[in-house]
Amino acid sequence: MGVKKSRSRSRSSARVAAPLILWWCCACAVAAAAMAAAGGGGDEHRYGGAKYKDPSQPLNTRIDDLLRRMTLAEKIGQMSQIERENATADVMRHYFIGSVLSGGGSVPSPKAAPAEWVRMVNEIQRGALSSRLGIPMLYGIDAVHGHNNVYKATIFPHNIGLGCTRDPELVQKIGAAVAHEVRATGIPYVFAPCIAVCRDPRWGRCYESFSEDPKLVQQMTSIISGFQGEIPANGRLGAPFVSGQHNVAACAKHYVGDGGTINGINENNTIATFHELLSIHMPPYYNAIIRGVSTIMVSFSSLNGVKMHANRPFITDFLKTKLRFRGFVISDYEGIDRLTTPQHADYVLSVKLGILAGIDMVMIPYTYTEFIDDLTLLVQNGTIPMSRIDDAVRRILRVKFTMGLFENPYADPSLAGELGKQEHRDLAREAVRKSLVLLKNGKPSDKPLLPLPKKAHGSILVAGSHADDLGSQCGGWTIKWQGLTGNNLTAGTTILDGIKRAVGPAGTDVVYSESPDAGFIERNKARFDYAVVVVGEHPYAETAGDNLNLTIPAPGPAIIRNVCGSIRCVVVLVSGRSLVVEPYLGAVDALVAAWLPGTEGQGVADVLFGDYGFTGKLSTTWFRSVEQLPMNVGDAHYDPMFPFGFGLETQPLKA
């Protein structure tokens, strides 16, 4: 009876509940429809119907949603990258600027601390976010061997030295360290790495290349995984990837063939068959894309007479279509201006050629209003289809969404301590040690000179223009675009400092003479057990470094002759490439290629005095005379002074 009564109550409740449930469902459906019409519910309601603001939405949904909301002016603004000194809040908001850069040496103030950088970047970002759609700007900077614009940053060896380490894992760690230092100043994007394959040391950018060998450059693309983070095992290879707020978006450059120009002349013409291009200059880009590189920068140079900034077959057809690169393509600094002679002579034509070739973001530091006006006209008159604009903006937005810029547009001031921290300097010092290449050690009739004894019977002489010059050992792209000489540009340890620290505990007297003449040597030669002569190139970058004779600059040759003619000596050559050394080779007891070691000169002393052994191997061919150039490993008439891969080794001294 009780059971029946219970069932009766249940049926009665059901009869009452059914209409209520039906009414409630209808009400919910009406409400949901109204919310959808008003712009969404749940998370969608929270973001005002803007799916692009909702991080839970799929990537392509966010891109599509934002793209359909954008006006032509907002799209062209996203394609514009301007110099930071022009990036006022009003400019960012009014022109919807998508990206800002610091050119070489462009800083908020001399010796600016991280906090000042962060304030500047955040102020620019606030201007961008105050625009109608609130699209964050992307701030980019050259960080080609460390955060090289910034005072007290760790400066690592330039790429040519890193190639001599043959250590992709070390290079990846360097990429991660640089990313931390860049983020310390609030910047999320670097114009690095240069993955050029330098085929001629006369090129002024040869030190930016890891090697003349494409396979070695491919290995060194590990630095991209350092910058951006490792793609997870279940991640999509080939898609832009930045793992977190301690990483930065990278930029592989300069696409393509920049290291193969005639006579090594910067921005000149590279003549190559399709097979040569694919086998020499293109392979590093395959690896860069697989590693998820976010952006690729186009080269100033030409390929078989066609300027790369106007080369649609290689930018759109090959890079984007065949290689399926999904990040964005960026021009070089005022790169489209160079499409006419003289530069900027017909800017409308330059804009047309560059955008139709497939360039997505244009580096226009100063002429941004002209660029925006001209591109707008070209779209409105049908010369450039809207589909080309949408492709460019879609790629830019993909990178911004992928790197989390919409969720974290502002800099994190807590990272300030990452700049120049000891852990990074220790890593740079390790890189210096592993990059040194020992080319000669002892004359035929004598025992090897290296490693040097720390305890000398008399004194040791340190000589040369580069022994006590931090700027010269860092080279170009350090604080200023062309670099600087002297010791007041940033924090670091000169090679002389390193030598003094290495022998100090042994009580050895170090005598430094920057440019000793023959009389000084004759009067004092009996005092010295041996000499360390440090000479080389003065800082340069890009075209200013093009050099058709490649001799050791004065006063280097005179110092070598004066010192090494009377005292057992090791010559440490500080340079961005191989130089003519044959005239001095017989006089010197030992010869070390130190490349451009950066701020941690102690790493040179570590190996000279046997705390560590020499292990570096040449990443480029060391020629005998410039008449042989270009000459690369594998050539039919290969007759170098020191072949690719050469490097004598020593064992560390036991304590």
Side-chain angles (χ1 to χ4, degrees):
M1 186 68 167
V3 174
K4 286 182 182 177
K5 196 172 183 180
S6 173
R7 284 178 180 170
S8 175
R9 224 184 265 124
S10 177
R11 288 193 192 100
S12 176
S13 300
R15 280 195 296 271
V16 174
L20 288 172
I21 293 169
L22 182 61
W23 173 84
W24 177 252
C25 290
C26 291
C28 286
V30 171
M35 290 176 72
D43 280 344
E44 204 170 327
H45 180 63
R46 188 170 70 217
Y47 296 107
K51 291 183 179 179
Y52 75 90
K53 294 182 179 180
D54 182 357
S56 68
Q57 294 288 335
L59 173 61
N60 286 331
T61 299
R62 299 181 77 184
I63 296 171
D64 291 341
D65 181 65
L66 180 50
L67 198 58
R68 70 177 176 80
R69 297 170 185 272
M70 297 174 71
T71 64
L72 176 60
E74 286 166 332
K75 291 175 180 178
I76 290 176
Q78 284 301 299
M79 297 170 67
S80 307
Q81 184 182 70
I82 69 173
E83 229 291 329
R84 58 150 206 96
E85 64 189 66
N86 298 318
T88 64
D90 285 344
V91 167
M92 299 301 293
R93 180 171 53 250
H94 180 73
Y95 293 102
F96 317 107
I97 298 298
S99 187
V100 176
L101 83 148
S102 275
S106 178
V107 299
S109 70
K111 299 185 178 181
E116 189 175 349
W117 281 92
V118 165
R119 279 195 300 272
M120 178 193 70
V121 174
N122 281 347
E123 183 180 346
I124 295 170
Q125 189 66 281
R126 274 189 288 273
L129 295 174
S130 69
S131 63
R132 183 178 74 93
L133 294 170
I135 303 173
M137 68 88 194
L138 177 62
Y139 197 111
I141 196 165
D142 285 289
V144 299
H145 64 141
H147 198 6
N148 48 259
N149 274 295
V150 178
Y151 182 60
K152 290 189 176 180
T154 308
I155 303 300
F156 292 85
H158 267 297
N159 287 352
I160 191 170
L162 296 184
C164 295
T165 69
R166 299 297 201 278
D167 192 341
E169 289 184 13
L170 172 67
V171 170
Q172 183 168 337
K173 290 177 184 176
I174 289 171
V178 174
H180 280 71
E181 298 210 7
V182 172
R183 282 286 192 171
T185 56
I187 297 171
Y189 174 34
V190 296
F191 306 127
C194 178
I195 54 173
V197 181
C198 177
R199 305 291 283 180
D200 193 324
R202 292 174 291 187
W203 185 36
R205 305 193 78 152
C206 199
Y207 64 72
E208 295 184 57
S209 168
F210 289 109
S211 178
E212 70 182 44
D213 176 29
K215 293 185 178 63
L216 181 52
V217 181
Q218 283 182 291
Q219 292 174 22
M220 294 303 168
T221 60
S222 59
I223 198 170
I224 294 170
S225 298
F227 287 139
Q228 299 192 156
E230 287 271 20
I231 298 175
N234 60 349
R236 180 183 170 189
L237 296 179
F241 175 80
V242 179
S243 69
Q245 298 310 298
H246 288 186
N247 295 97
V248 294
C251 178
K253 63 184 189 181
H254 308 83
Y255 185 82
V256 60
D258 51 337
T261 57
I262 297 169
N263 296 330
I265 298 171
N266 192 44
E267 301 184 25
N268 206 340
N269 188 33
T270 295
I271 298 175
T273 65
F274 188 61
H275 173 74
E276 288 169 341
L277 190 74
L278 295 190
S279 61
I280 296 171
H281 299 287
M282 197 68 79
Y285 288 94
Y286 307 152
N287 293 63
I289 292 168
I290 289 170
R291 290 182 183 275
V293 72
S294 296
T295 73
I296 290 176
M297 184 182 292
V298 181
S299 177
F300 285 134
S301 59
S302 301
L303 181 59
N304 296 324
V306 179
K307 286 190 177 283
M308 280 306 306
H309 275 72
N311 200 325
R312 180 181 172 86
F314 276 96
I315 297 174
T316 295
D317 300 342
F318 195 83
L319 178 62
K320 290 183 173 181
T321 304
K322 190 170 185 64
L323 298 186
R324 299 183 60 80
F325 173 60
R326 290 293 177 262
F328 69 79
V329 176
I330 186 168
S331 81
D332 207 332
Y333 195 94
E334 297 180 335
I336 64 170
D337 299 51
R338 288 164 162 81
L339 291 178
T340 58
T341 304
Q343 184 173 317
H344 205 88
D346 186 343
Y347 199 59
V348 173
L349 177 62
S350 293
V351 173
K352 171 189 168 183
L353 292 174
I355 300 302
L356 287 178
I359 295 172
D360 303 312
M361 182 178 284
V362 181
M363 199 181 285
I364 33 165
Y366 304 107
T367 58
Y368 58 95
T369 57
E370 184 182 6
F371 168 77
I372 289 169
D373 289 344
D374 289 352
L375 182 52
T376 301
L377 176 65
L378 288 166
V379 175
Q380 289 175 340
N381 68 19
T383 303
I384 294 177
M386 198 67 190
S387 59
R388 173 73 273 270
I389 302 299
D390 286 346
D391 170 61
V393 178
R394 179 178 295 278
R395 290 168 176 277
I396 293 163
L397 295 178
R398 180 180 290 120
V399 169
K400 289 185 176 184
F401 279 123
T402 299
M403 63 192 297
L405 201 57
F406 280 78
E407 288 69 57
N408 297 286
Y410 290 112
D412 181 356
S414 70
L415 298 175
E418 293 291 322
L419 187 83
K421 75 176 185 180
Q422 191 59 48
E423 180 184 335
H424 297 162
R425 293 192 180 278
D426 292 344
L427 183 65
R429 184 171 167 181
E430 177 187 355
V432 173
R433 291 195 296 261
K434 291 181 175 179
S435 69
L436 302 177
V437 179
L438 181 57
L439 299 173
K440 180 181 179 180
N441 192 16
K443 294 178 180 177
S445 58
D446 289 328
K447 63 180 182 180
L449 178 62
L450 299 173
L452 299 170
K454 293 181 181 180
K455 189 169 182 61
H457 299 293
S459 301
I460 64 173
L461 173 65
V462 178
S465 52
H466 288 53
D468 191 31
D469 192 324
L470 191 63
S472 290
Q473 74 187 42
C474 288
W477 291 109
T478 309
I479 303 300
K480 299 290 187 180
W481 173 41
Q482 291 291 327
L484 297 164
T485 56
N487 291 333
N488 61 353
L489 73 165
T490 192
T493 305
T494 68
I495 294 172
L496 176 64
D497 291 333
I499 291 171
K500 288 179 176 179
R501 292 178 187 179
V503 302
T508 299
D509 181 39
V510 176
V511 176
Y512 173 59
S513 176
E514 181 178 337
S515 186
D517 59 23
F520 173 87
I521 297 299
E522 184 61 31
R523 290 190 303 272
N524 293 280
K525 63 182 180 182
R527 294 175 54 192
F528 301 122
D529 283 20
Y530 55 84
V532 180
V533 176
V534 191
V535 295
E537 294 186 297
H538 301 296
Y540 58 82
E542 300 192 48
T543 303
D546 288 353
N547 187 332
L548 296 179
N549 61 57
L550 296 179
T551 55
I552 297 174
I559 297 171
I560 294 172
R561 284 193 294 268
N562 289 339
V563 176
C564 299
S566 301
I567 305 168
R568 290 194 82 196
C569 77
V570 52
V571 171
V572 177
L573 191 59
V574 176
S575 67
R577 52 201 162 188
S578 51
L579 300 176
V580 176
V581 296
E582 194 167 31
Y584 321 105
L585 205 56
V588 307
D589 294 273
L591 178 62
V592 175
W595 313 110
L596 297 168
T599 52
E600 307 313 303
Q602 185 76 52
V604 176
D606 286 341
V607 186
L608 288 179
F609 291 93
D611 292 330
Y612 296 83
F614 281 92
T615 58
K617 305 295 179 186
L618 287 178
S619 60
T620 59
T621 296
W622 202 293
F623 60 92
R624 294 179 185 276
S625 69
V626 292
E627 286 73 29
Q628 295 176 296
L629 299 177
M631 178 176 60
N632 301 104
V633 62
D635 288 355
H637 303 288
Y638 190 66
D639 181 31
M641 173 67 70
F642 303 106
F644 172 85
F646 179 83
L648 302 174
E649 297 188 8
T650 62
Q651 296 301 313
L653 292 176
K654 294 181 180 178

